[in-house]
Amino acid sequence: MTTLVRLALLCTLLAAAHASAAPPLSEDKKQALDEFKVAYRLAEAWPQMAPKIARDSLPRLEDATHADLDADHFPDQAHADAAHARVPALLAEGRRELEDALQRFDAEELAAYTAYEIYARLFETDEIRQISAFFASPTGRKLTEQAPAIMIESRRPGAGDVMAKHFDADELAAITAFWNSPVGRKMNQTAEQIREDMHAHFIERSETALQAVARALATKAEAQADAATAPK
């Protein structure tokens, strides 16, 4: 796996599939996870993922808005059809409203879920501490801070060796050593599973906000339908 691919995984922050009955965490592991949340900047994952969650939720939002309209009472079928026909044009507005709602979620709570429900199950206490030690180091902090900008720069034509432009030889050696270590390789191996479960949890977590936005869109669609079908 290349460094840039690893950075892509870092930008979305990584995490795992729902477990049914996880064993209680020891106090030692809880402390390690507390340190890990800070070192790995898990609270910053949600603001970065909210736009994607809103975008991925558009089919659910559309279905929920139609379902809301189906539950309402219209004077006749023409009014109902007119309201349903207006839903697609309202989805862009709904996506913005949903993203705004998601950005107001408690990022610390979502970081805790990622740490205690996902990483705690996939990694041992010593492994968690190794990850924290690297990402709390000057090189690890620099990697985390610059990863989004490096990813954008790497996509430009003729970008060349982007990492070498941002890190000196000692820093590059430290980064390479971490990703080639057993815990670094384990992070690579679990990255896709982790990201998918993180996404699934956030989709589930967004359901209440999505239903509220759907209700608002349905109300607007009804109002527009009433105006369009009103006698001239």
Side-chain angles (χ1 to χ4, degrees):
M1 180 178 292
T2 67
T3 299
L4 291 177
V5 172
R6 291 168 181 144
L7 281 176
L9 299 175
L10 176 60
C11 289
T12 54
L13 275 182
L14 324 175
H18 289 285
S20 45
L25 298 176
S26 68
E27 290 303 316
D28 188 41
K29 192 160 191 175
K30 287 180 183 177
Q31 181 181 354
L33 290 165
D34 286 340
E35 296 167 356
F36 168 68
K37 279 195 306 175
V38 176
Y40 205 41
R41 301 187 177 191
L42 284 179
E44 296 178 18
W46 176 248
Q48 295 175 19
M49 292 188 72
K52 182 176 184 342
I53 299 299
R55 183 176 66 250
D56 292 350
S57 296
L58 280 178
R60 293 166 55 228
L61 180 60
E62 183 172 16
D63 290 345
T65 305
H66 284 299
D68 209 313
L69 289 172
D70 287 337
D72 288 342
H73 298 287
F74 291 93
D76 51 52
Q77 190 60 44
H79 280 75
D81 291 344
H84 281 288
R86 278 156 175 77
V87 171
L90 292 170
L91 287 178
E93 177 184 349
R95 174 183 168 180
R96 290 192 297 271
E97 292 178 359
L98 180 58
E99 183 176 335
D100 287 344
L102 298 181
Q103 293 285 6
R104 294 193 294 272
F105 278 16
D106 185 349
E108 289 296 335
E109 183 273 329
L110 293 164
Y113 176 89
T114 303
Y116 300 130
E117 301 296 331
I118 296 174
Y119 277 95
R121 182 167 54 84
L122 291 175
F123 293 89
E124 301 298 331
T125 303
D126 287 346
E127 293 172 327
I128 292 291
R129 288 207 164 96
Q130 290 173 47
I131 297 171
S132 298
F134 173 73
F135 285 100
S137 71
T139 298
R141 289 197 302 270
K142 183 177 176 180
L143 180 65
T144 303
E145 291 166 359
Q146 299 196 18
I150 291 173
M151 286 304 303
I152 293 172
E153 186 178 340
S154 69
R155 296 189 184 106
R156 295 172 184 160
D161 188 353
V162 177
M163 291 291 291
K165 298 176 184 177
H166 293 264
F167 298 92
D168 63 29
D170 289 341
E171 292 170 332
L172 289 173
I175 293 169
T176 299
F178 174 76
W179 289 119
N180 286 334
S181 70
V183 72
R185 291 197 298 270
K186 186 172 181 178
M187 289 181 75
N188 288 332
Q189 292 163 1
T190 58
E192 189 63 29
Q193 177 192 12
I194 283 173
R195 185 171 56 239
E196 287 177 2
D197 187 63
M198 198 173 182
H199 184 272
H201 173 69
F202 291 164
I203 285 285
E204 179 183 344
R205 180 74 171 74
S206 70
E207 184 62 25
T208 300
L210 182 140
Q211 291 297 331
V213 173
R215 176 64 264 178
L217 294 187
T219 299
K220 291 178 182 179
E222 292 172 19
Q224 291 177 6
D226 288 342
T229 56
K232 304 299 182 184

